[in-house]
Amino acid sequence: MRVLGINAVFHDPAAALVVDGQVVAAAEEERFSRRKHGKRPHAFSAWELPERSARWCLQEGGIEPGELDAVAYSYDPSLVEPGLEGHEGEWERLRTLYARRAPAMLAEALPGLDPGIFRYVPHHVAHAASAALAAPTPGEGDVLVLDGRGESHSHLSGTYRDGMLTTLGAQRLPHSLGLMYEELTQHLGFLRSSDEYKVMALASYGRPRFADEMRRLVRATDDGGFSVGRVDWSSLAKPRGADDEWDEEHADLAASAQLRLEEVLLDLAGWLHERTGSRRLAMAGGVALNCVANSRLAADGPYEEIWVQPAAGDAGTALGAALHVAERAGDTITAMPGADLGRRWDDAELAHWLATARVPYDKPADLAATVADALARDQIVAWFQGRAEYGPRALGHRSLLAHPGDPGNLERLNAVKGRERFRPIAPMVLLERAATIFDGPLPSPYMLFVHRVHPEWRDRIPAVVHVDGTARVQTVDRADEPLVADLLAAFEARTGLPVVVNTSLNTAGRPMVDDPRDALECFGSAPVDLLAIGPYVVRRGEVFAR
């Protein structure tokens, strides 16, 4: 079964290809178009399909559009209920119109595609499949989905047995934890449906002194759902303009909403676990990208194992829709092999790009040692290796790397990337070394949990320690990432530190670097000392000395 998955209706348009139950490719349209999140989540943008990422997925799989058995679209317009049209009112009808016309529009973009093979998959079912069917034990265990909204709901809880989903709870709109957090994001001067992670970071600077008011308005219900009342944000803290400084009341409001989100998430997981007794929980939906809440659930919740889809936002529904259709057709689903599902270039292609750009470069005998030397000298390294990541996290394929022992590197990297000063940067560490430095869920290959940094290490790796003493860790398994593992080992041999700073290779407002041109443009425009691109290195001093 050859299934192309498509996400398009809200934001983060993406495509994924599943062949005979195996994930072949997945990519977000933003990496091709260079528009952050691909588009804004307006109803009148629902016509924009992930045409370039879909073409690339088919090319990667060696499949022509006419050879597909199904196209799985992660939204079912027939499920939109009258009167639940959301805050956009009449615009919602335009969204469903575009969804109904998507088969014909995609067939026009992919000549040879039969519109008759289109399959609509309910949005939250696609989210659920992206987690439970892609997890290390596919199709076994509980699943929890929380986001802004789907067709008429904002939440799904259920359980998988032998690949089959049984839905046990679903919260109807307008109640939505995701939309509540989006409203707060906008109130605090950030871009909603984009910058919610900034609110999570800001929360660490505040006290939850508005928690009682949040508890009065946001509550779990007896049926496994929740109720979200209208929050008068301005009565709690004044609105913040996008260019204004934040102050204590903004941080306190963020802390209060974050705490209440965590508490309700625990209630929802507890309700689900009481009905299934499962050991495993898989999670997806935009709320599942809240790594602080994930860690609270791992620490205080009832599940022994929690696995979060690395592309937990709407981009992941392209993969989930394809997996769902493949499973329903009888394919045996194989676990997601990792988040590196995007584009790649061989050494000859990379050398051609460098020659075309007319930049001096060389091919060191030991790339890991060369990069470790640069990092040990406190240089910033742009790291472009292998296939691009699927999802919002840089996981050692499209990364900026730095020395964790220099406390100034937090401010330095935030300046390079044009980020707010309060935002943390993350560490990556060999899996076998992680427990000696960090306390939290391990392994953590996708940066979806926060970990307490052991006190004796906080002064040794200050660049990656957040104000609350935590870090969002990526563990590196040598079997999965041998080159990154070699780099970490080489850096430790030079510095005594088994940790390297890892943040995404991009600048403010731009998607993560994806192709060699993006990498060269970022290297040329930002104060990065060295670019490691495939087996080659480009040194800033040599480029700009000419």
Side-chain angles (χ1 to χ4, degrees), residues 267-354:
D267 288 338
L268 296 175
W271 182 92
L272 177 59
H273 184 264
E274 285 179 3
R275 281 148 185 80
T276 67
S278 176
R279 295 176 54 250
R280 300 187 184 97
L281 177 69
M283 296 174 62
V287 175
L289 291 172
N290 191 306
C291 54
V292 176
N294 294 345
S295 295
R296 176 76 184 278
L297 181 58
D300 299 338
Y303 290 95
E304 297 176 34
E305 299 176 18
I306 298 177
W307 190 85
V308 184
Q309 165 58 241
D314 274 8
T317 64
L319 175 60
L323 289 171
H324 175 79
V325 168
E327 195 281 331
R328 293 292 80 212
D331 283 353
T332 299
I333 305 301
T334 303
M336 182 175 170
D340 51 331
L341 299 170
R343 288 190 286 179
R344 58 186 157 191
W345 285 263
D346 63 29
D347 294 353
E349 290 171 320
L350 292 173
H352 177 73
W353 274 96
L354 294 170

Side-chain angles (χ1 to χ4, degrees), residues 521-543:
E521 288 178 351
C522 188
F523 176 73
S525 63
V528 175
D529 299 294
L530 184 143
L531 168 63
I533 180 167
Y536 310 110
V537 296
V538 182
R539 295 176 173 83
R540 188 170 197 83
E542 296 176 2
V543 171

Side-chain angles (χ1 to χ4, degrees), residues 20-34:
D20 296 333
Q22 295 188 347
V23 182
V24 173
E28 297 163 74
E29 191 73 2
E30 68 164 24
R31 311 294 168 85
F32 297 79
S33 69
R34 310 309 299 159

Side-chain angles (χ1 to χ4, degrees), residues 368-518:
T370 298
V371 172
D373 285 339
L375 293 171
R377 295 194 303 271
D378 209 18
Q379 293 187 348
I380 294 177
V381 175
W383 178 262
F384 183 105
Q385 302 295 330
R387 297 184 71 168
E389 295 94 342
Y390 181 48
R393 309 285 194 235
L395 300 168
H397 293 255
R398 304 291 186 269
S399 294
L400 279 172
L401 308 178
H403 196 308
D406 181 351
N409 277 340
L410 171 59
E411 185 173 348
R412 186 179 173 199
L413 279 170
N414 279 341
V416 167
K417 291 166 62 70
R419 306 191 329 165
E420 295 84 357
R421 288 181 297 170
F422 63 81
R423 290 174 56 190
I425 50 180
M428 60 181 180
V429 60
L430 281 172
L431 176 58
E432 61 265 28
R433 301 285 278 122
T436 63
I437 307 167
F438 305 103
D439 180 26
L442 297 173
S444 178
Y446 300 129
M447 281 189 188
L448 288 166
F449 298 91
V450 295
H451 298 69
R452 186 73 50 184
V453 183
H454 292 168
E456 64 271 23
W457 279 93
R458 292 176 188 173
D459 291 337
R460 298 186 66 186
I461 53 172
V464 297
V465 182
H466 196 31
V467 66
D468 59 359
T470 66
R472 191 183 69 203
V473 174
Q474 177 197 353
T475 56
V476 175
D477 189 328
R478 188 177 294 277
D480 299 327
E481 299 285 354
L483 180 59
V484 178
D486 287 346
L487 168 61
L488 289 167
F491 183 74
E492 182 175 12
R494 287 154 176 78
T495 65
L497 300 176
V499 171
V500 167
V501 173
N502 173 28
T503 188
S504 57
L505 181 51
N506 67 316
T507 52
R510 300 287 290 165
M512 204 185 310
V513 158
D514 193 79
D515 73 13
R517 182 190 297 274
D518 304 334

Side-chain angles (χ1 to χ4, degrees), residues 232-295:
D232 183 0
W233 301 108
S234 295
S235 70
L236 303 176
K238 62 181 180 293
R240 172 186 168 271
D243 298 322
D244 295 342
E245 291 294 323
W246 60 272
D247 59 25
E248 181 180 307
E249 68 175 358
H250 296 128
D252 290 350
L253 184 57
S256 302
Q258 175 67 32
L259 175 62
R260 191 57 185 144
L261 175 68
E262 296 167 20
E263 292 171 343
V264 174
L265 181 60
L266 280 166
D267 288 338
L268 296 175
W271 182 92
L272 177 59
H273 184 264
E274 285 179 3
R275 281 148 185 80
T276 67
S278 176
R279 295 176 54 250
R280 300 187 184 97
L281 177 69
M283 296 174 62
V287 175
L289 291 172
N290 191 306
C291 54
V292 176
N294 294 345
S295 295

